[in-house]
Amino acid sequence: MDHSTLLMPFLSRLQRDGSLSPAAPPVLRRLSDMRGHYAHVPPEMGDPEIYRVYALEVPERASELPCSTTVLQPGTVGEEFFMTKGHFHRQRDRSEVYLGLAGRGLLVLATEEGDHRVQPIEPETVNYVPGGWGHRAVNVGEEPLVFFATYVGDAGHDYQTVERFGFPVRILRGPQGPRIVHTPPRER
Ligand code: PAN
Ligand code: ZN
């Protein structure tokens, strides 16, 4: 054990609004931060908050397990449900676990080869996100979607691959609930 990198044990509590306390100041993502992610942005939408992330102050190194909660607001951009940007881990083989805490959502997982899965995220779900799978959360409910995430500390985040190639499916509001729509590569 390298004692120069030893951390002190600490405790954080989940608050009713989905935040963690203590935690670093939240990272806020508004619609204007998500250019290119939604298929169609109606001009009258303004700039709503889409989600925020509360992260414990843990160094991003291989020996640690960074932890965070994400609070993803309900709503749609056009027909498309509010969602996170989504990313791959920069070190592709690094894995992650999501634990659903509140609300009703879907987790879209995709490989760079175009395989994909869609799983629920809601209270009592534990989603295992293996290395190699890009991941994006989507709020398909009427309340904020809150989930806890923890991942291998040196994973890093690659947003560019998703910005360039998108995900193979989009989650749209339909008359009978969420619709999973396949996206041709050109239109992602
Ligand atoms: C999560 C995400 C969080 C926000 O903690 O970072 O839900 O989504 P984006 O990072 O895609 O904006 C996680 O998967 N961390 O690795
Ligand atoms: Zn991740």
Side-chain angles (χ1 to χ4, degrees), residues 79-126:
E79 293 188 303
E80 198 168 3
F81 285 110
F82 281 10
M83 61 191 183
T84 59
K85 291 183 174 189
H87 58 266
F88 287 84
H89 291 154
R90 202 170 53 239
Q91 302 223 50
R92 285 290 192 268
D93 63 352
R94 301 308 200 254
S95 303
E96 176 155 12
V97 171
Y98 279 12
L99 170 67
L101 295 173
R104 200 165 62 84
L106 293 175
L107 177 62
V108 179
L109 300 130
T111 64
E112 286 175 280
E113 289 72 40
D115 197 3
H116 78 276
R117 299 285 186 281
V118 179
Q119 300 180 342
I121 313 179
E122 53 200 30
E124 301 175 9
T125 59
V126 177

Short mmCIF file of all heavy atoms in Angstrom, two decimals, residues 79-126:
data_model
loop_
_atom_site.label_atom_id
_atom_site.label_comp_id
_atom_site.label_asym_id
_atom_site.label_seq_id
_atom_site.Cartn_x
_atom_site.Cartn_y
_atom_site.Cartn_z
N GLU A 79 -39.79 15.45 -29.88
CA GLU A 79 -40.38 14.19 -29.38
C GLU A 79 -39.41 13.40 -28.51
O GLU A 79 -39.77 12.36 -27.97
CB GLU A 79 -40.71 13.27 -30.56
CG GLU A 79 -41.78 13.71 -31.49
CD GLU A 79 -42.08 12.58 -32.47
OE1 GLU A 79 -41.16 12.12 -33.18
OE2 GLU A 79 -43.24 12.16 -32.50
N GLU A 80 -38.18 13.86 -28.45
CA GLU A 80 -37.11 13.03 -27.86
C GLU A 80 -36.97 13.32 -26.37
O GLU A 80 -36.81 14.47 -25.96
CB GLU A 80 -35.79 13.36 -28.59
CG GLU A 80 -34.73 12.35 -28.40
CD GLU A 80 -33.56 12.56 -29.36
OE1 GLU A 80 -33.56 13.55 -30.15
OE2 GLU A 80 -32.64 11.74 -29.30
N PHE A 81 -37.04 12.26 -25.57
CA PHE A 81 -36.97 12.44 -24.12
C PHE A 81 -35.61 13.04 -23.70
O PHE A 81 -34.58 12.74 -24.32
CB PHE A 81 -37.15 11.10 -23.41
CG PHE A 81 -38.57 10.61 -23.39
CD1 PHE A 81 -38.95 9.51 -24.15
CD2 PHE A 81 -39.53 11.23 -22.60
CE1 PHE A 81 -40.26 9.05 -24.13
CE2 PHE A 81 -40.85 10.77 -22.58
CZ PHE A 81 -41.21 9.69 -23.35
N PHE A 82 -35.64 13.84 -22.62
CA PHE A 82 -34.40 14.37 -22.04
C PHE A 82 -33.46 13.20 -21.74
O PHE A 82 -33.89 12.15 -21.24
CB PHE A 82 -34.69 15.12 -20.74
CG PHE A 82 -35.22 16.52 -20.90
CD1 PHE A 82 -35.62 17.02 -22.14
CD2 PHE A 82 -35.32 17.35 -19.79
CE1 PHE A 82 -36.11 18.32 -22.27
CE2 PHE A 82 -35.81 18.64 -19.90
CZ PHE A 82 -36.21 19.13 -21.13
N MET A 83 -32.18 13.42 -22.00
CA MET A 83 -31.18 12.34 -21.86
C MET A 83 -29.83 12.96 -21.51
O MET A 83 -29.63 14.17 -21.66
CB MET A 83 -31.07 11.57 -23.18
CG MET A 83 -30.63 12.44 -24.34
SD MET A 83 -30.80 11.60 -25.93
CE MET A 83 -30.11 12.84 -27.02
N THR A 84 -28.92 12.11 -21.07
CA THR A 84 -27.54 12.57 -20.86
C THR A 84 -26.82 12.56 -22.22
O THR A 84 -27.29 11.95 -23.17
CB THR A 84 -26.80 11.65 -19.87
OG1 THR A 84 -26.79 10.32 -20.38
CG2 THR A 84 -27.46 11.67 -18.50
N LYS A 85 -25.65 13.23 -22.26
CA LYS A 85 -24.87 13.20 -23.50
C LYS A 85 -24.54 11.78 -23.89
O LYS A 85 -24.63 11.38 -25.05
CB LYS A 85 -23.55 13.95 -23.31
CG LYS A 85 -23.69 15.44 -23.17
CD LYS A 85 -22.31 16.06 -23.06
CE LYS A 85 -22.40 17.56 -23.07
NZ LYS A 85 -21.08 18.19 -23.17
N GLY A 86 -24.10 11.01 -22.91
CA GLY A 86 -23.63 9.65 -23.16
C GLY A 86 -22.17 9.66 -23.57
O GLY A 86 -21.67 10.64 -24.14
N HIS A 87 -21.50 8.59 -23.25
CA HIS A 87 -20.05 8.50 -23.53
C HIS A 87 -19.59 7.05 -23.52
O HIS A 87 -20.30 6.17 -23.01
CB HIS A 87 -19.27 9.29 -22.47
CG HIS A 87 -19.54 8.81 -21.08
ND1 HIS A 87 -20.51 9.39 -20.27
CD2 HIS A 87 -19.01 7.80 -20.36
CE1 HIS A 87 -20.55 8.73 -19.12
NE2 HIS A 87 -19.66 7.76 -19.14
N PHE A 88 -18.40 6.85 -24.04
CA PHE A 88 -17.63 5.63 -23.81
C PHE A 88 -16.59 5.98 -22.75
O PHE A 88 -16.23 7.16 -22.59
CB PHE A 88 -16.90 5.19 -25.08
CG PHE A 88 -17.82 4.60 -26.13
CD1 PHE A 88 -18.51 5.42 -27.00
CD2 PHE A 88 -17.97 3.22 -26.22
CE1 PHE A 88 -19.36 4.87 -27.96
CE2 PHE A 88 -18.82 2.67 -27.18
CZ PHE A 88 -19.52 3.51 -28.05
N HIS A 89 -16.06 4.98 -22.08
CA HIS A 89 -14.92 5.26 -21.23
C HIS A 89 -13.68 5.34 -22.12
O HIS A 89 -13.54 4.59 -23.08
CB HIS A 89 -14.81 4.22 -20.12
CG HIS A 89 -15.93 4.37 -19.13
ND1 HIS A 89 -16.41 3.36 -18.37
CD2 HIS A 89 -16.69 5.47 -18.82
CE1 HIS A 89 -17.41 3.81 -17.62
NE2 HIS A 89 -17.60 5.08 -17.89
N ARG A 90 -12.81 6.33 -21.81
CA ARG A 90 -11.62 6.53 -22.67
C ARG A 90 -10.79 5.25 -22.69
O ARG A 90 -10.33 4.82 -23.73
CB ARG A 90 -10.83 7.74 -22.17
CG ARG A 90 -9.95 8.34 -23.23
CD ARG A 90 -9.34 9.66 -22.81
NE ARG A 90 -8.65 9.55 -21.55
CZ ARG A 90 -8.94 10.25 -20.45
NH1 ARG A 90 -9.93 11.12 -20.46
NH2 ARG A 90 -8.27 10.07 -19.34
N GLN A 91 -10.61 4.67 -21.50
CA GLN A 91 -10.00 3.33 -21.44
C GLN A 91 -11.17 2.36 -21.61
O GLN A 91 -11.95 2.13 -20.67
CB GLN A 91 -9.31 3.11 -20.10
CG GLN A 91 -8.25 4.17 -19.84
CD GLN A 91 -7.00 3.56 -19.26
OE1 GLN A 91 -6.48 2.58 -19.80
NE2 GLN A 91 -6.54 4.11 -18.17
N ARG A 92 -11.29 1.80 -22.80
CA ARG A 92 -12.50 1.11 -23.20
C ARG A 92 -12.91 -0.06 -22.31
O ARG A 92 -14.08 -0.40 -22.22
CB ARG A 92 -12.37 0.60 -24.65
CG ARG A 92 -12.47 1.69 -25.70
CD ARG A 92 -13.90 2.22 -25.78
NE ARG A 92 -14.08 3.06 -26.97
CZ ARG A 92 -13.92 4.38 -26.99
NH1 ARG A 92 -13.59 5.04 -25.90
NH2 ARG A 92 -14.11 5.06 -28.11
N ASP A 93 -11.95 -0.70 -21.65
CA ASP A 93 -12.33 -1.90 -20.90
C ASP A 93 -12.80 -1.58 -19.47
O ASP A 93 -13.09 -2.50 -18.70
CB ASP A 93 -11.18 -2.91 -20.86
CG ASP A 93 -9.95 -2.36 -20.14
OD1 ASP A 93 -9.94 -1.15 -19.80
OD2 ASP A 93 -9.00 -3.14 -19.92
N ARG A 94 -12.92 -0.30 -19.11
CA ARG A 94 -13.30 0.04 -17.74
C ARG A 94 -14.82 0.00 -17.58
O ARG A 94 -15.55 0.57 -18.39
CB ARG A 94 -12.78 1.42 -17.34
CG ARG A 94 -11.26 1.56 -17.43
CD ARG A 94 -10.52 0.47 -16.69
NE ARG A 94 -9.15 0.84 -16.39
CZ ARG A 94 -8.07 0.37 -17.00
NH1 ARG A 94 -8.18 -0.52 -17.98
NH2 ARG A 94 -6.87 0.77 -16.62
N SER A 95 -15.27 -0.64 -16.50
CA SER A 95 -16.70 -0.89 -16.28
C SER A 95 -17.30 0.07 -15.27
O SER A 95 -16.60 0.85 -14.63
CB SER A 95 -16.89 -2.33 -15.80
OG SER A 95 -16.34 -3.22 -16.74
N GLU A 96 -18.61 -0.03 -15.14
CA GLU A 96 -19.36 0.91 -14.29
C GLU A 96 -20.63 0.22 -13.81
O GLU A 96 -21.13 -0.67 -14.47
CB GLU A 96 -19.70 2.14 -15.13
CG GLU A 96 -20.55 3.18 -14.44
CD GLU A 96 -20.36 4.58 -15.01
OE1 GLU A 96 -19.73 4.70 -16.09
OE2 GLU A 96 -20.83 5.52 -14.38
N VAL A 97 -21.16 0.70 -12.67
CA VAL A 97 -22.45 0.22 -12.17
C VAL A 97 -23.36 1.41 -11.94
O VAL A 97 -22.93 2.42 -11.38
CB VAL A 97 -22.27 -0.57 -10.85
CG1 VAL A 97 -23.63 -0.88 -10.22
CG2 VAL A 97 -21.51 -1.86 -11.09
N TYR A 98 -24.60 1.30 -12.41
CA TYR A 98 -25.64 2.30 -12.12
C TYR A 98 -26.65 1.65 -11.17
O TYR A 98 -27.01 0.47 -11.36
CB TYR A 98 -26.41 2.69 -13.40
CG TYR A 98 -25.76 3.70 -14.32
CD1 TYR A 98 -24.43 4.08 -14.18
CD2 TYR A 98 -26.51 4.28 -15.33
CE1 TYR A 98 -23.86 5.01 -15.04
CE2 TYR A 98 -25.95 5.22 -16.20
CZ TYR A 98 -24.63 5.58 -16.05
OH TYR A 98 -24.07 6.50 -16.91
N LEU A 99 -27.12 2.43 -10.21
CA LEU A 99 -28.17 1.98 -9.28
C LEU A 99 -29.31 2.99 -9.38
O LEU A 99 -29.12 4.18 -9.09
CB LEU A 99 -27.60 1.94 -7.86
CG LEU A 99 -28.59 1.73 -6.73
CD1 LEU A 99 -29.21 0.34 -6.79
CD2 LEU A 99 -27.91 1.94 -5.38
N GLY A 100 -30.48 2.52 -9.78
CA GLY A 100 -31.64 3.42 -9.91
C GLY A 100 -32.16 3.83 -8.55
O GLY A 100 -32.29 2.99 -7.65
N LEU A 101 -32.46 5.12 -8.38
CA LEU A 101 -32.91 5.62 -7.07
C LEU A 101 -34.31 6.23 -7.12
O LEU A 101 -35.07 6.11 -6.16
CB LEU A 101 -31.92 6.67 -6.54
CG LEU A 101 -30.51 6.16 -6.23
CD1 LEU A 101 -29.59 7.32 -5.89
CD2 LEU A 101 -30.55 5.16 -5.07
N ALA A 102 -34.66 6.92 -8.18
CA ALA A 102 -35.98 7.57 -8.27
C ALA A 102 -36.32 7.82 -9.73
O ALA A 102 -35.43 8.00 -10.56
CB ALA A 102 -35.99 8.89 -7.50
N GLY A 103 -37.62 7.83 -10.02
CA GLY A 103 -38.07 8.13 -11.38
C GLY A 103 -38.05 6.89 -12.25
O GLY A 103 -37.87 5.75 -11.77
N ARG A 104 -38.22 7.12 -13.55
CA ARG A 104 -38.36 6.00 -14.49
C ARG A 104 -37.58 6.35 -15.75
O ARG A 104 -37.86 7.36 -16.40
CB ARG A 104 -39.84 5.83 -14.83
CG ARG A 104 -40.20 4.47 -15.38
CD ARG A 104 -41.71 4.27 -15.32
NE ARG A 104 -42.42 5.25 -16.14
CZ ARG A 104 -42.62 5.12 -17.45
NH1 ARG A 104 -42.20 4.05 -18.09
NH2 ARG A 104 -43.27 6.06 -18.12
N GLY A 105 -36.58 5.54 -16.04
CA GLY A 105 -35.75 5.85 -17.18
C GLY A 105 -35.34 4.61 -17.96
O GLY A 105 -35.70 3.47 -17.63
N LEU A 106 -34.60 4.87 -19.03
CA LEU A 106 -34.02 3.80 -19.82
C LEU A 106 -32.53 4.08 -19.95
O LEU A 106 -32.11 5.24 -20.06
CB LEU A 106 -34.65 3.74 -21.21
CG LEU A 106 -36.13 3.34 -21.26
CD1 LEU A 106 -36.66 3.45 -22.69
CD2 LEU A 106 -36.34 1.92 -20.71
N LEU A 107 -31.76 3.00 -19.94
CA LEU A 107 -30.33 3.09 -20.18
C LEU A 107 -30.07 2.51 -21.57
O LEU A 107 -30.44 1.36 -21.84
CB LEU A 107 -29.57 2.29 -19.11
CG LEU A 107 -28.06 2.22 -19.27
CD1 LEU A 107 -27.44 3.61 -19.19
CD2 LEU A 107 -27.46 1.31 -18.19
N VAL A 108 -29.49 3.33 -22.45
CA VAL A 108 -29.14 2.87 -23.80
C VAL A 108 -27.65 2.54 -23.78
O VAL A 108 -26.83 3.39 -23.39
CB VAL A 108 -29.43 3.96 -24.85
CG1 VAL A 108 -29.04 3.46 -26.24
CG2 VAL A 108 -30.90 4.36 -24.82
N LEU A 109 -27.33 1.31 -24.18
CA LEU A 109 -25.93 0.85 -24.22
C LEU A 109 -25.61 0.49 -25.66
O LEU A 109 -26.44 -0.11 -26.35
CB LEU A 109 -25.77 -0.39 -23.34
CG LEU A 109 -26.11 -0.20 -21.87
CD1 LEU A 109 -27.05 -1.29 -21.38
CD2 LEU A 109 -24.85 -0.19 -21.03
N ALA A 110 -24.42 0.84 -26.12
CA ALA A 110 -24.06 0.53 -27.51
C ALA A 110 -22.57 0.28 -27.62
O ALA A 110 -21.77 0.94 -26.94
CB ALA A 110 -24.47 1.66 -28.44
N THR A 111 -22.22 -0.65 -28.50
CA THR A 111 -20.80 -0.85 -28.80
C THR A 111 -20.44 -0.04 -30.04
O THR A 111 -21.33 0.39 -30.79
CB THR A 111 -20.48 -2.33 -29.10
OG1 THR A 111 -21.19 -2.70 -30.29
CG2 THR A 111 -20.88 -3.24 -27.95
N GLU A 112 -19.15 0.12 -30.27
CA GLU A 112 -18.72 0.85 -31.47
C GLU A 112 -19.02 0.06 -32.73
O GLU A 112 -19.02 0.61 -33.84
CB GLU A 112 -17.24 1.18 -31.38
CG GLU A 112 -16.99 2.29 -30.40
CD GLU A 112 -15.53 2.57 -30.19
OE1 GLU A 112 -14.90 1.82 -29.43
OE2 GLU A 112 -15.03 3.52 -30.80
N GLU A 113 -19.29 -1.24 -32.58
CA GLU A 113 -19.63 -2.07 -33.75
C GLU A 113 -21.11 -1.95 -34.08
O GLU A 113 -21.58 -2.53 -35.06
CB GLU A 113 -19.29 -3.54 -33.47
CG GLU A 113 -17.78 -3.83 -33.42
CD GLU A 113 -17.09 -3.28 -32.18
OE1 GLU A 113 -17.68 -3.36 -31.08
OE2 GLU A 113 -15.98 -2.75 -32.31
N GLY A 114 -21.90 -1.26 -33.24
CA GLY A 114 -23.30 -1.02 -33.56
C GLY A 114 -24.29 -1.91 -32.83
O GLY A 114 -25.50 -1.81 -33.04
N ASP A 115 -23.79 -2.81 -31.97
CA ASP A 115 -24.69 -3.60 -31.14
C ASP A 115 -25.31 -2.67 -30.09
O ASP A 115 -24.67 -1.68 -29.71
CB ASP A 115 -23.85 -4.70 -30.44
CG ASP A 115 -24.70 -5.82 -29.88
OD1 ASP A 115 -25.94 -5.79 -30.07
OD2 ASP A 115 -24.12 -6.73 -29.25
N HIS A 116 -26.53 -2.95 -29.65
CA HIS A 116 -27.08 -2.10 -28.60
C HIS A 116 -28.04 -2.88 -27.69
O HIS A 116 -28.53 -3.95 -28.07
CB HIS A 116 -27.78 -0.87 -29.18
CG HIS A 116 -29.14 -1.17 -29.73
ND1 HIS A 116 -29.34 -1.65 -30.99
CD2 HIS A 116 -30.36 -1.08 -29.16
CE1 HIS A 116 -30.64 -1.84 -31.19
NE2 HIS A 116 -31.28 -1.50 -30.09
N ARG A 117 -28.27 -2.32 -26.51
CA ARG A 117 -29.24 -2.83 -25.54
C ARG A 117 -29.96 -1.64 -24.93
O ARG A 117 -29.37 -0.57 -24.80
CB ARG A 117 -28.54 -3.59 -24.39
CG ARG A 117 -27.75 -4.81 -24.81
CD ARG A 117 -28.66 -5.99 -25.16
NE ARG A 117 -27.88 -7.19 -25.41
CZ ARG A 117 -27.22 -7.46 -26.55
NH1 ARG A 117 -27.26 -6.59 -27.54
NH2 ARG A 117 -26.54 -8.57 -26.68
N VAL A 118 -31.22 -1.87 -24.51
CA VAL A 118 -31.95 -0.85 -23.76
C VAL A 118 -32.48 -1.52 -22.50
O VAL A 118 -33.15 -2.55 -22.59
CB VAL A 118 -33.12 -0.28 -24.61
CG1 VAL A 118 -33.89 0.77 -23.80
CG2 VAL A 118 -32.60 0.33 -25.90
N GLN A 119 -32.16 -0.95 -21.35
CA GLN A 119 -32.57 -1.54 -20.07
C GLN A 119 -33.28 -0.47 -19.24
O GLN A 119 -32.96 0.71 -19.36
CB GLN A 119 -31.35 -1.96 -19.25
CG GLN A 119 -30.45 -2.97 -19.90
CD GLN A 119 -29.27 -3.32 -18.99
OE1 GLN A 119 -28.96 -2.58 -18.06
NE2 GLN A 119 -28.61 -4.42 -19.30
N PRO A 120 -34.21 -0.89 -18.35
CA PRO A 120 -34.80 0.10 -17.44
C PRO A 120 -33.79 0.61 -16.41
O PRO A 120 -32.88 -0.14 -16.03
CB PRO A 120 -35.94 -0.67 -16.76
CG PRO A 120 -35.64 -2.11 -16.96
CD PRO A 120 -34.76 -2.24 -18.17
N ILE A 121 -33.94 1.86 -16.01
CA ILE A 121 -33.29 2.37 -14.79
C ILE A 121 -34.42 2.92 -13.94
O ILE A 121 -35.13 3.85 -14.38
CB ILE A 121 -32.35 3.58 -15.00
CG1 ILE A 121 -31.39 3.40 -16.15
CG2 ILE A 121 -31.60 3.92 -13.71
CD1 ILE A 121 -30.49 4.64 -16.34
N GLU A 122 -34.63 2.37 -12.78
CA GLU A 122 -35.68 2.83 -11.88
C GLU A 122 -35.32 2.32 -10.49
O GLU A 122 -34.35 1.56 -10.36
CB GLU A 122 -37.05 2.30 -12.35
CG GLU A 122 -37.08 0.82 -12.55
CD GLU A 122 -38.22 0.32 -13.45
OE1 GLU A 122 -38.66 1.06 -14.35
OE2 GLU A 122 -38.63 -0.82 -13.24
N PRO A 123 -36.04 2.72 -9.45
CA PRO A 123 -35.67 2.25 -8.12
C PRO A 123 -35.56 0.72 -8.11
O PRO A 123 -36.43 0.03 -8.66
CB PRO A 123 -36.81 2.73 -7.23
CG PRO A 123 -37.29 3.97 -7.93
CD PRO A 123 -37.15 3.67 -9.40
N GLU A 124 -34.50 0.21 -7.56
CA GLU A 124 -34.22 -1.21 -7.40
C GLU A 124 -33.51 -1.84 -8.59
O GLU A 124 -33.16 -3.01 -8.54
CB GLU A 124 -35.48 -2.02 -7.01
CG GLU A 124 -36.08 -1.51 -5.70
CD GLU A 124 -37.38 -2.16 -5.30
OE1 GLU A 124 -37.79 -3.15 -5.93
OE2 GLU A 124 -37.98 -1.66 -4.33
N THR A 125 -33.25 -1.11 -9.67
CA THR A 125 -32.45 -1.70 -10.75
C THR A 125 -30.96 -1.45 -10.48
O THR A 125 -30.57 -0.39 -9.99
CB THR A 125 -32.78 -1.13 -12.14
OG1 THR A 125 -32.56 0.28 -12.14
CG2 THR A 125 -34.21 -1.43 -12.55
N VAL A 126 -30.17 -2.46 -10.81
CA VAL A 126 -28.71 -2.35 -10.79
C VAL A 126 -28.26 -2.66 -12.21
O VAL A 126 -28.43 -3.79 -12.68
CB VAL A 126 -28.09 -3.37 -9.79
CG1 VAL A 126 -26.58 -3.29 -9.84
CG2 VAL A 126 -28.60 -3.11 -8.38
#
